[in-house]
Amino acid sequence: MTIFKEKVDEEYLTVSEVKTLLEDVEAERAADEERELRYELARAIEHVNRFAHLDPEESRELVEELLELEKVDATTAIKIADLLPQSRDELRAVYAQERYALSGDELDDVLNVVAKYV
C-alpha cells in the first residue's frame, strides 16, 4: 500500500529565513523536555547557523532587488542570496546549469547588487 501526499504549497526561502523558522522549532522543542531534537533537525539547525550571513529582512530585500534584473529568476536569486558570490567566477558557478550565460556587464550588475549587502 502506498500513501500519496499532495503538495499543497511551495515557497522558496533563503537560508536566513529558514534560520528564524528553525530557531522557533528549536525553542519549542527545548521547552518540552519529553521531545528531543532529532538528528536531522539538529544538523539542519547547525547548517543554517553556519551559513546564514544576513538578517532575514536583508536577504529578502536582496532577493527582491535581484529579481528586478533581467536574467535572474526566483530560484537563482535565492541561491545568490544564500551564497553571496564575491567574484565573477563564483557567480558563473551559480549559473553553470542554466541554458544561458551572462555577459560581463550582467555579471557585474548582479555583483554590484550583492556588494550592497555584504
Side-chain angles (χ1 to χ4, degrees):
M1 181 167 101
T2 305
I3 299 174
F4 295 99
K5 293 186 179 183
E6 179 183 352
K7 186 187 297 188
V8 177
D9 191 18
E10 184 175 273
E11 179 182 0
Y12 293 109
L13 298 172
T14 63
V15 173
S16 300
E17 293 169 325
V18 171
K19 181 179 179 181
T20 59
L21 296 174
L22 288 178
E23 285 173 348
D24 294 341
V25 171
E26 186 178 25
E28 177 185 313
R29 297 281 174 101
D32 186 5
E33 295 177 11
E34 303 266 331
R35 296 176 73 184
E36 69 180 59
L37 228 52
R38 293 181 51 199
Y39 173 77
E40 296 85 358
L41 181 58
R43 295 289 296 173
I45 291 169
E46 180 184 327
H47 178 83
V48 297
N49 285 336
R50 181 176 296 155
F51 294 108
H53 299 292
L54 299 175
D55 293 333
E57 296 81 18
E58 285 180 324
S59 66
R60 185 48 59 180
E61 288 174 16
L62 174 57
V63 168
E64 296 300 327
E65 202 168 332
L66 288 169
L67 287 173
E68 293 173 5
L69 299 175
E70 185 178 336
K71 289 195 176 180
V72 181
D73 59 356
T75 56
T76 307
I78 296 289
K79 284 181 194 175
I80 292 170
D82 289 343
L83 298 173
L84 298 172
Q86 301 295 309
S87 68
R88 285 183 174 189
D89 290 335
E90 291 175 357
L91 188 55
R92 280 191 190 106
V94 172
Y95 278 95
Q97 294 182 346
E98 299 293 332
R99 294 188 180 273
Y100 53 87
L102 296 181
S103 69
D105 291 337
E106 292 168 330
L107 290 170
D108 289 339
D109 290 342
V110 173
L111 291 172
N112 289 337
V113 171
V114 171
K116 294 180 194 175
Y117 294 90
V118 177

